[in-house]
Amino acid sequence: MDINRPANVSFFDFIGGVQLLQGEDTRTAMPVILIGICVSGAVGNLLVLLIFIRDFRNGKGSEVKALLASLASTDLVILLLCAPVRAITYYKQSWTLGSFVCSTTDWFQHSCVVAKTLILAATTRAKHTLVPSTGSGSFSGPTWIHGALAFIWIVSMMFPLPQMLFAALVPHGRDKICVSEMPVCASDFMSLFYKIYPTATFVVPVIFTLAYYTKTLHAAVNHEPSPQHQSKVTLVLLCLSGALGLMLLPEWGTFTWIRLGYNKPPVGLIIFAQVFLYACSSLSPVVLMTMYDDVRQGLIAIWFIATCRGSKQLPNNNTTKKNKKCTKTEGNGAEVGANAVANAVSGGDTEKEKTIPDVEHFWTGRRNTQIEEEQDPVPWEREEKML
């Protein structure tokens, strides 16, 4: 990745993954590692989302679950949209995805990373009480959650704008590379900005979240020898915040190191930081599935439904067919009419409150009515009785 920095720029860095790497081992190993992280992480986050959706539909949702569902959605977006770009870049060793992706890839990834940190910080205000669900199956969360998520995403997309402004597609021999070039005239302002940006979007939220949950958990354990459900959720959120802070620290460290104009960090450290960024999105569902009781129980329920649904439906279908057959073959016309009326009374939610006439009494009366021989519509039944 040896390339000379132009004289009129204050820093020069690759966008969308390290390019111009030498060696077939890196070209093969990095895409395989990133694809493996993407597949495992995407499956885990999808399961977490399904579990939370199921909880909300069953009236077991909470503010914390709503924010954790947003966190899982953000991790899913990072794994499905950001990581494949790096895998392709490492495989091609140059840029082949066009100028639009070059301009937006780092901006979009940083927006998602900042949103993750701020969403975890917002969970400190969330309650663990259940959120009531509506009759249609959807849930009605508090208004502040929607406002907080909208504010978080607006801030997350505004802060990384320089990643988009300074991105450029530069020819390099017969190939092209995607780089970030900051002109010297903007170096003073951007130097101040790149000190505020990581501090406001990573350092302060992570420290605040860790301190809050540590204090909350310590108070709960001291006052309650056997921690309740809320203490367990606090421990889960503390572990999530700690894992996010540790695994994103290399990425933010190398990012600030390069932008502040110091010597370029080693290539191995840059690659290591990028792998840890995506591994962080794959680790979050693992923490939730192993430590969060509601998620673990939901996972067991989904597994049970997926494995036992086929065996449960078969007997029910056979029973239904037998019931239909019995309804058609047993009894005379009067009994069939009575059964039809009984089924109409018991079936259908829309007809439960309607008053149905006493038709069953009519059929019962008709059942005992004597029919003359010349008016008998089924004479063969009479012949069988005579025999």
Side-chain angles (χ1 to χ4, degrees):
M1 56 170 292
D2 294 334
I3 187 171
N4 296 323
R5 185 177 69 181
N8 61 339
V9 300
S10 59
F11 78 84
F12 188 86
D13 186 32
F14 290 105
I15 289 180
V18 182
Q19 300 152 53
L20 305 180
L21 287 173
Q22 303 295 329
E24 291 295 327
D25 295 338
T26 304
R27 178 181 181 182
T28 305
M30 284 305 301
V32 172
I33 293 174
L34 292 179
I35 290 174
I37 292 174
C38 288
V39 172
S40 59
V43 172
N45 284 289
L46 278 175
L47 287 175
V48 170
L49 282 175
L50 289 176
I51 292 169
F52 284 144
I53 291 173
R54 179 177 175 272
D55 286 347
F56 277 110
R57 290 180 66 88
N58 294 336
K60 299 179 181 179
S62 64
E63 297 178 6
V64 171
K65 289 182 180 180
L67 293 174
L68 289 179
S70 302
L71 183 67
S73 302
T74 306
D75 285 331
L76 191 62
V77 169
I78 291 175
L79 293 171
L80 294 181
L81 297 182
C82 300
V85 174
R86 272 68 183 176
I88 294 173
T89 302
Y90 281 116
Y91 180 74
K92 296 292 186 180
Q93 299 183 351
S94 60
W95 190 260
T96 58
L97 299 176
S99 59
F100 177 77
V101 180
C102 174
S103 301
T104 57
T105 179
D106 269 23
W107 166 79
F108 184 73
Q109 178 171 287
H110 267 258
S111 298
C112 295
V113 171
V114 173
K116 283 182 56 176
T117 307
L118 297 181
I119 287 173
L120 271 178
T123 57
T124 58
R125 189 182 182 276
K127 298 179 181 178
H128 305 139
T129 54
L130 298 182
V131 176
S133 59
T134 60
S136 60
S138 59
F139 64 92
S140 56
T143 307
W144 78 267
I145 290 184
H146 304 287
L149 290 176
F151 175 77
I152 285 171
W153 277 103
I154 291 174
V155 171
S156 302
M157 289 187 291
M158 293 294 293
F159 259 111
L161 278 179
Q163 300 296 100
M164 184 188 299
L165 299 176
F166 298 139
L169 197 59
V170 179
H172 183 75
R174 292 181 298 178
D175 300 323
K176 292 182 179 181
I177 56 176
C178 183
V179 296
S180 179
E181 298 178 334
M182 187 177 68
V184 176
C185 59
S187 60
D188 294 337
F189 173 78
M190 295 308 300
S191 177
L192 177 62
F193 173 79
Y194 284 126
K195 293 176 183 176
I196 298 175
Y197 172 46
T199 304
T201 58
F202 174 70
V203 177
V204 172
V206 168
I207 292 177
F208 169 75
T209 307
L210 289 174
Y212 175 84
Y213 285 124
T214 301
K215 179 181 177 181
T216 304
L217 187 63
H218 182 266
V221 170
N222 287 340
H223 290 86
E224 298 179 4
S226 57
Q228 301 296 324
H229 176 72
Q230 183 172 349
S231 301
K232 295 180 180 179
V233 177
T234 302
L235 179 60
V236 172
L237 295 173
L238 177 62
C239 293
L240 276 178
S241 303
L244 182 139
L246 289 176
M247 300 188 76
L248 293 184
L249 183 61
E251 172 67 19
W252 282 106
T254 55
F255 175 84
T256 309
W257 187 346
I258 296 172
R259 265 64 183 178
L260 293 182
Y262 301 115
N263 295 329
K264 208 169 193 60
V267 181
L269 180 59
I270 298 175
I271 296 175
F272 173 80
Q274 292 183 0
V275 171
F276 258 48
L277 186 149
Y278 303 119
C280 178
S281 297
S282 299
L283 181 64
S284 297
V286 176
V287 174
L288 292 175
M289 290 178 186
T290 54
M291 299 184 63
Y292 200 172
D293 292 340
D294 292 350
V295 175
R296 187 167 59 249
Q297 294 172 3
L299 182 64
I300 295 173
I302 289 178
W303 175 260
F304 179 78
I305 292 173
T307 54
C308 300
R309 178 177 294 175
S311 61
K312 280 187 174 183
Q313 284 182 350
L314 185 59
N316 292 336
N317 292 337
N318 293 337
T319 306
T320 304
K321 291 180 180 179
K322 289 180 180 179
N323 292 336
K324 289 182 179 179
K325 186 176 180 180
C326 294
T327 304
K328 291 182 180 179
T329 55
E330 294 180 359
N332 53 19
E335 293 174 347
V336 173
N339 291 334
V341 173
N343 292 334
V345 174
S346 60
D349 296 336
T350 58
E351 298 178 1
K352 283 184 179 179
E353 298 179 358
K354 294 183 179 180
T355 303
I356 300 178
D358 194 5
V359 186
E360 184 177 1
H361 176 71
F362 169 75
W363 285 109
T364 305
R366 293 285 296 172
R367 184 183 305 171
N368 299 327
T369 303
Q370 297 180 356
I371 303 176
E372 298 181 1
E373 295 182 10
E374 60 272 16
Q375 296 179 352
D376 191 0
V378 283
W380 53 86
E381 290 185 357
R382 185 172 177 278
E383 293 177 1
E384 291 177 359
K385 291 179 181 179
M386 292 176 64
L387 292 176

